[in-house]
Amino acid sequence: MLKASGAAAGVAAGIAVVGAPAPAAAAGAFAHPGLLHTRTDLDRMAAKVKAGAAPYTAGFAKLTANRHAQSGWQARPQAVVYRGSGTPENYSLLYNDIHAAYQNALRYHVTGESAYADTAVAVLNAWSATLTAVNGSADRFLAAGLYGYQFANAAELVRDHGDFELARFQEMLGRNFGAMSDDFLVRHNGAVVSNYWTNWDLANMACVLATGIFCDDRAQVARAVDYFKHGAGLGAIRNAIPVVYNDEDADEGGLGEWLEAGRDQGHALLGVGLMGTFCEMAWNQGIDLYGYDDSRFLKGAQYVAKWNLGGQVPFTASTRRKGAIGGWSGSETVTAAAGVDPSMIRPIWAMIANHYTRRRGMSATYVTRIAAKAAPEGGGGDYGPNSGGYDQLGFGTLTFTRDRVSAGGGGTAGGTTSSPSPTASASASASASASASTPASSPSAMGKGDDLAATGSGDVVGWAAATGITALAGGLLLLRRRGRRDG
């Protein structure tokens, strides 16, 4: 269970989801399929490809050309997956198999050809019968978060297949991924709450949410959503996007400074993709986080898109505090957005652009432009052979392109938003309170200072900037903002 821990006590306490707009589903279940793709989404893809409609056909061609999307893919399950320095790393076997399962399942839903569903099920069953642990350095938490949410999405697409071992997969997913991600959001691997960059939190938030939906655990979903809104770590939306410049590109609704823009381009893109994934999965269960806090995520995505397109963006200097609780500590200051490589593309933009401009009818010029630049989006295996090329499931041109809402059906840039899409016909209410929470997950094996020194201690943020100080998380996260206009 996500609860206050150590110096963050009182900040992350009170686990509840506030203001979820959807009615409770029958018998309290979640809508399935209902992670990144709903039944309506899957039917739309199949119909559009069958009709030869652009750009769906281009997106589908990217899928069919990928080596992971071929029926007959042979799984290579491992009893223990390792990620991180000082360990016998084998996690590439896991992410390749996950992407093969996802791509085959997606191809099945578009074509109706059972060989692809059978392949996906065989891969997922092999892993649920074999995997016992995810271990390694601090990077094991990245593995838990990234591959946990992806595993859940692949399995969600075949959960009704007659040969899929649903209960066994749910148990494996919760034990090896959900519990570790839950634990990370509570304890942050024994580090100060601001120690890990935004994408660490977001990966684990996505895993907790996806696991909760896949396993029909309402309390777990409530914890994930509450963390997005009120969490002490850097994945919470007001920490990930700490400054809003309402007077910058005001006709677009303003820009929101993305915290990791001060780190580097690749991790900023990763974070935007992960937050979009989180918002999309929540939306498909009737929980509107895309529009939360005056569409703050849109402002952050617009900022990153403009910056990646070579535009000038404002930046408020910040100092980040890092280290282990009761141990080593330090700080680091960033004063400007990092440089960008215009050729760096990640398959994250179609989902975001289509939500705001097509579902809601809002203006999102920079996001729309960068989505067009990235189209047609591929997936794992299309963006390099290393793990960064597998951080997103991708194929957004195929999966997220949608028709524009009818007049009056969308929200406005000022924050008035439409209700979540009716595609999740059995949308679940996420109003579970802390009193209804399930018992806390068992803590994973906690790393010590060596893990922090290896990967975590250099990946951290505690803040201070130039005039006026706002203390968060028991003094561990400090913001000093100069001339800000915070939405």
Side-chain angles (χ1 to χ4, degrees):
M1 179 175 70
L2 300 184
K3 58 186 178 182
S5 176
V11 178
I15 306 304
V17 176
V18 180
F30 288 101
H32 298 294
L35 289 176
L36 284 175
H37 314 303
T38 66
R39 170 55 55 195
T40 298
D41 294 333
L42 296 168
D43 290 346
R44 179 187 67 247
M45 297 172 215
K48 294 288 189 179
V49 170
K50 183 178 180 180
Y56 300 90
T57 50
F60 185 61
K62 293 288 288 188
L63 175 64
T64 58
N66 194 300
R67 70 183 184 90
H68 297 80
Q70 311 309 313
S71 63
W73 177 279
Q74 296 298 306
R76 293 178 290 176
Q78 306 293 303
V80 180
V81 167
Y82 296 92
R83 176 169 176 167
S85 59
T87 68
E89 290 189 306
N90 61 355
Y91 67 101
S92 66
L93 299 175
L94 174 60
Y95 65 66
N96 275 280
D97 278 359
I98 291 173
H99 283 256
Y102 173 77
Q103 291 179 28
N104 270 274
L106 195 59
R107 191 167 179 178
Y108 159 71
H109 281 286
V110 174
T111 67
E113 297 178 37
S114 61
Y116 299 112
D118 294 344
T119 297
V121 167
V123 171
L124 297 169
N125 282 348
W127 277 94
S128 68
T130 306
L131 185 65
T132 62
V134 177
N135 288 338
S137 69
D139 284 11
R140 69 191 183 277
F141 292 106
L142 286 177
L146 291 169
Y147 312 136
Y149 95 77
Q150 293 176 0
F151 239 156
N153 271 278
E156 182 77 349
L157 294 178
V158 294
R159 67 182 294 135
D160 294 329
H161 190 287
D163 293 332
F164 179 54
E165 297 287 350
L166 175 61
R168 189 176 75 193
F169 194 90
Q170 288 175 319
E171 193 277 331
M172 182 277 296
L173 184 69
R175 179 186 71 242
N176 295 315
F177 298 91
M180 185 178 290
S181 289
D182 220 341
D183 185 73
F184 180 82
L185 295 177
V186 174
R187 296 177 177 85
H188 287 86
N189 194 30
V192 296
V193 72
S194 58
N195 184 68
Y196 290 92
W197 280 107
T198 298
N199 74 85
W200 289 70
D201 259 17
L202 285 170
N204 286 283
M205 290 161 59
C207 178
V208 172
L209 179 64
T211 302
I213 294 169
F214 185 79
C215 297
D216 289 311
D217 186 334
R218 291 164 57 84
Q220 186 170 340
V221 170
R223 296 197 301 273
V225 172
D226 185 72
Y227 196 94
F228 175 92
K229 295 179 178 181
H230 310 299
L234 299 183
I237 189 166
R238 292 180 70 89
N239 295 337
I241 308 169
V243 183
V244 168
Y245 304 93
N246 287 318
D247 52 352
E248 292 281 343
D249 293 279
D251 56 338
E252 291 284 317
L255 297 177
E257 182 176 310
W258 191 263
L259 175 62
E260 284 193 277
R263 181 188 184 191
D264 61 53
Q265 180 186 11
H267 286 97
L269 290 170
L270 170 60
V272 170
L274 288 169
M275 187 172 283
T277 294
F278 192 93
C279 290
E280 184 71 16
M281 293 189 298
W283 176 272
N284 285 334
Q285 298 299 332
I287 306 165
D288 182 12
L289 301 178
Y290 277 119
Y292 180 73
D293 197 12
D294 194 26
S295 297
R296 195 180 189 96
F297 174 55
L298 172 59
K299 297 173 185 180
Q302 286 271 86
Y303 179 99
V304 173
K306 181 179 182 180
W307 168 56
N308 275 258
L309 288 166
Q312 294 296 312
V313 291
F315 193 88
T316 300
S318 62
T319 298
R320 41 192 212 98
R321 185 180 167 200
K322 53 190 179 180
I325 295 175
W328 176 89
S329 64
S331 64
E332 180 179 355
T333 299
V334 289
T335 58
V340 296
D341 175 1
S343 68
M344 183 179 288
I345 299 293
R346 289 291 181 267
I348 63 174
W349 297 108
M351 174 175 58
I352 301 166
N354 274 278
H355 173 80
Y356 286 111
T357 67
R358 298 298 178 89
R359 276 187 181 141
R360 285 204 143 115
M362 297 169 70
S363 178
T365 298
Y366 300 115
V367 167
T368 300
R369 284 174 55 197
I370 202 167
K373 181 180 178 181
E377 290 181 355
D382 292 326
Y383 298 89
N386 299 321
S387 60
Y390 293 81
D391 286 342
Q392 286 86 34
L393 290 168
F395 300 105
T397 304
L398 170 66
T399 60
F400 298 114
T401 300
R402 60 186 73 249
D403 296 328
R404 187 177 296 276
V405 293
S406 59
T412 68
T416 302
T417 57
S418 62
S419 297
S421 166
T423 56
S425 58
S427 296
S429 169
S431 58
S433 67
S435 62
S437 297
T438 54
S441 303
S442 300
S444 58
M446 297 306 298
K448 303 299 183 182
D450 55 345
D451 275 351
L452 293 172
T455 53
S457 63
D459 295 345
V460 291
V461 184
W463 303 30
T467 49
I469 296 178
T470 301
L472 301 177
L476 291 175
L477 185 60
L478 301 176
L479 294 178
R480 232 175 18 178
R481 300 174 186 157
R482 178 169 44 208
R484 70 173 187 179
R485 301 189 68 171
D486 194 354

